[in-house]
Amino acid sequence: MNEIITSKLLPEVLDFLSQKQFGGFAGGKDLFSAQDCFIVSHDPGSGEKIAEIAELDAAEVNHAVDAANRAFLDPSWHDLSIGERGALLHRLADEVEKQKHVLAQIESLDAGKVEAQAVGDIQNFVDTFRYFIGLSQTVPTRTTLAVSGHEAWTVRQPWGTCAFIFPWNFPFLLIGWGIAPALAAGNTVVIKPAEDTSLSAIYLAKLAKQVGIPDGVINVVTGRGETTGSALSQHQKIKRMSFTGSPEVGRLVAQSCGHNLVPVKLELGGKGAAIVFDDLDIEDTAQKLVNAITFHTGQVCCDATRWLIHEKAYDDFVSACIEKLQSVKIGHQLQETTQMGPVVNEKQRQRILSYLDKGKSEGANCLLEGGTISVNGCEGHYVKPALLSGSLDNIAAREEIFGPVAYLARFSSEQEAIEMANQTDYGLANSVWTEDRNRATRIAEKMIAGNSWINAHNVFAHGVPYGGINKSGMGGGVLSIETLMDYLRSTSVVRPL
């Protein structure tokens, strides 16, 4: 490994990586492939190998699911009171917070995430756990029903083993969003991290054992989506399934779950719009949208990637954005001066470059040339921010690129802006930027998506439901009381009087 990079790593991180080969984790023990198969994990910033990750098959997935099912029925977990379970989960959250900078460096090195942003992701995991632990203590699980001639009530109880497939862009944060409500409700979990970014999930599973979470409550299966992920989503002994990723793979997961009649939650992609009026501070708004599109190198499903600008503000806004994007410092994710790091792998870099070429071939104007960029001493997967403009029928305006690329278009009226924002098959998150509160409210409520933000983008407050519609998802959202209830099944009890 690059000596400059190694010198920045904490001793705990170096000790963890010295293992070199990592398996999954099931029933409190490491889980390796019977065929001794491994996937090489690279540092996206340097291109260097950092670890080998076990590629598990259906037999190992079955072992992990069985471990989770046994743990669900074991008194050491199943018979805990809500308070006792919450105390255990608080121990895990506290330990994650204690090791926040260790986990952040593992996440940064594995996912190409700027270290300061990775620190924020780890803290978000901690905050998410504490939110759902607290919520589980206050939400009633028994509800009396007023029914004439009957004594009746409903009681909500955990489902059992819940399976999760997570993507590579926010590995640890999304694990928190997924498993925190499931565990707080009393379920057990099997986590399948992305093959490119499995290390933080493995570290978490070992921390869980260290703090006293019973074996089998938190399990990790590593490997590729088409093998390990497919085996997990097709498993007949899971009780709930959650997938975060692309719509294309989401459809396959939903088909598997539909065949087994397993409830599924899909958190998929997006092609968000930002509607910008001419009554705001142009420089400030431009900076905020530039920050959004360059955050984690644009690998954010809810990003505003279509910027719809009022014609009176368009030219000044474009000039401000170009100036700010050209000043973004691109570098290795562990360098303190870096503002934007690499994308996760070469496949993703080529995807971004191909969309730039396709967009221009379909007539898009190139306002700011993107493309590859070299970083001194690092053979990683780097791209420059890009701005395109033109018709919203362009492929670069229609399809999710998942990189630091925004597509701009002009509008002249409020109604035109709404129609343009809704000109998409996706439905995850949009934003409206204006000083006019009434106008902001009107537009926010008329945009067709699961989430609308006003004078901000990428806002995730615990307690506010976050989820997508249409091509962006189905089956419920995250971060709210509704999410906790997703992981509690309902039983009606009736006694005729």
Side-chain angles (χ1 to χ4, degrees):
M1 191 182 297
N2 187 306
E3 290 184 8
I4 297 175
I5 297 168
T6 302
S7 67
K8 297 179 182 297
L9 297 178
L10 295 167
E12 297 91 335
V13 176
L14 291 170
D15 181 61
F16 176 66
L17 294 177
S18 68
Q19 184 176 327
K20 299 188 183 305
Q21 289 187 333
F22 295 85
F25 201 77
K29 297 179 181 179
D30 290 328
L31 182 63
F32 286 92
S33 166
Q35 284 72 40
D36 204 30
C37 296
F38 291 89
I39 300 168
V40 174
S41 181
H42 294 90
D43 165 13
S46 69
E48 296 180 317
K49 173 181 173 180
I50 56 175
E52 293 182 355
I53 309 297
E55 182 170 10
L56 306 180
D57 62 16
E60 285 94 36
V61 169
N62 186 62
H63 175 79
V65 173
D66 283 347
N69 281 329
R70 287 193 302 270
F72 177 69
L73 297 175
D74 193 284
S76 65
W77 179 254
H78 188 273
D79 292 352
L80 292 179
S81 68
I82 293 174
E84 290 170 330
R85 186 167 63 239
L88 260 184
L89 295 176
H90 267 304
R91 274 191 228 162
L92 178 57
D94 291 347
E95 187 61 29
V96 168
E97 188 170 45
K98 180 180 176 183
Q99 300 202 36
K100 177 166 59 178
H101 292 283
V102 174
L103 273 159
Q105 284 198 343
I106 292 170
E107 190 86 329
S108 177
L109 192 63
D110 206 22
K113 190 180 292 285
V114 171
E115 186 174 4
Q117 296 172 6
V119 170
D121 286 0
I122 309 304
Q123 187 61 51
N124 190 291
F125 174 101
V126 173
D127 295 342
T128 301
F129 257 69
R130 289 173 178 162
Y131 167 73
F132 281 111
I133 294 166
L135 197 61
S136 70
Q137 317 292 308
T138 58
V139 171
T141 55
R142 186 182 300 271
T143 304
T144 300
L145 304 175
V147 181
S148 177
H150 299 80
E151 180 185 14
W153 66 94
T154 60
V155 61
R156 302 187 73 98
Q157 302 176 58
W159 286 84
T161 296
C162 299
F164 297 85
I165 299 177
F166 293 110
W168 43 257
N169 58 333
F170 288 87
F172 204 73
L173 179 148
L174 291 176
I175 287 176
W177 286 15
I179 74 170
L183 293 172
N187 300 282
T188 55
V189 301
V190 179
I191 299 166
K192 193 279 176 191
E195 59 264 32
D196 290 295
T197 56
S198 298
L199 291 175
S200 59
I202 296 168
Y203 197 89
L204 172 68
K206 294 177 182 293
L207 279 188
K209 183 176 179 68
Q210 178 183 317
V211 302
I213 303 292
D215 291 345
V217 170
I218 298 177
N219 308 276
V220 176
V221 291
T222 56
R224 303 182 194 279
E226 58 267 29
T227 52
T228 316
S230 178
L232 184 59
S233 65
Q234 293 180 36
H235 207 289
Q236 295 182 357
K237 292 183 181 179
I238 62 174
K239 298 302 181 183
R240 282 196 69 90
M241 181 76 222
S242 174
F243 170 81
T244 306
S246 71
E248 293 74 22
V249 179
R251 290 189 182 97
L252 298 176
V253 171
Q255 288 173 10
S256 297
C257 292
H259 178 77
N260 293 328
L261 300 180
V262 171
V264 61
K265 180 195 296 281
L266 302 177
E267 300 289 335
L268 308 176
K271 195 68 180 177
I275 298 176
V276 180
F277 284 87
D278 61 335
D279 59 346
L280 277 179
D281 183 313
I282 295 298
E283 290 287 330
D284 181 64
T285 305
Q287 185 64 66
K288 288 175 178 175
L289 285 174
V290 163
N291 290 346
I293 200 66
T294 56
F295 181 77
H296 196 30
T297 322
Q299 299 167 117
V300 184
C301 57
C302 54
D303 244 341
T305 54
R306 294 177 298 143
W307 295 354
L308 312 178
I309 315 301
H310 193 278
E311 59 186 6
K312 291 182 180 179
Y314 186 87
D315 291 339
D316 290 340
F317 182 83
V318 169
S319 296
C321 288
I322 290 174
E323 179 183 353
K324 296 177 190 306
L325 285 168
Q326 288 176 329
S327 69
V328 171
K329 294 181 175 62
I330 301 172
H332 191 278
Q333 63 270 23
L334 289 174
Q335 293 175 329
E336 293 179 1
T337 58
T338 295
Q339 295 174 307
M340 192 177 88
V343 294
V344 70
N345 54 34
E346 187 58 26
K347 178 181 177 181
Q348 186 59 24
R349 177 161 71 168
Q350 292 304 319
R351 173 187 172 91
I352 294 165
L353 298 177
S354 71
Y355 268 108
L356 291 175
D357 289 340
K358 292 174 186 175
K360 286 184 280 189
S361 70
E362 289 191 7
N365 300 311
C366 187
L367 303 174
L368 178 65
E369 192 76 34
T372 60
I373 184 172
S374 298
V375 171
N376 188 35
C378 296
E379 299 296 326
H381 316 295
Y382 297 95
V383 294
K384 294 183 289 186
L387 294 180
L388 302 176
S389 69
S391 167
L392 293 181
D393 291 331
N394 189 285
I395 189 172
R398 297 194 321 270
E399 298 187 8
E400 185 176 39
I401 299 173
F402 229 55
V405 181
Y407 197 100
L408 284 72
R410 306 170 190 255
F411 71 86
S412 59
S413 69
E414 180 178 318
Q415 184 57 38
E416 183 184 19
I418 294 169
E419 291 173 358
M420 292 168 72
N422 291 338
Q423 190 178 325
T424 177
D425 294 331
Y426 291 96
L428 187 51
N430 300 312
S431 57
V432 54
W433 303 74
T434 177
E435 290 288 357
D436 187 330
R437 292 281 298 277
N438 291 330
R439 177 166 60 190
T441 299
R442 284 195 306 272
I443 294 176
E445 293 181 355
K446 289 181 179 179
M447 289 190 288
I448 301 173
N451 310 274
S452 287
W453 295 310
I454 295 174
N455 295 340
H457 206 92
N458 296 338
V459 182
F460 308 103
H462 291 95
V464 178
Y466 169 79
I469 61 172
N470 299 334
K471 198 177 174 181
S472 291
M474 57 170 278
V478 294
L479 294 182
S480 70
I481 186 172
E482 288 91 342
T483 318
L484 180 67
M485 303 310 275
D486 282 343
Y487 293 99
L488 291 165
R489 61 178 178 80
S490 180
T491 299
S492 299
V493 182
V494 183
R495 182 178 72 88
L497 297 177

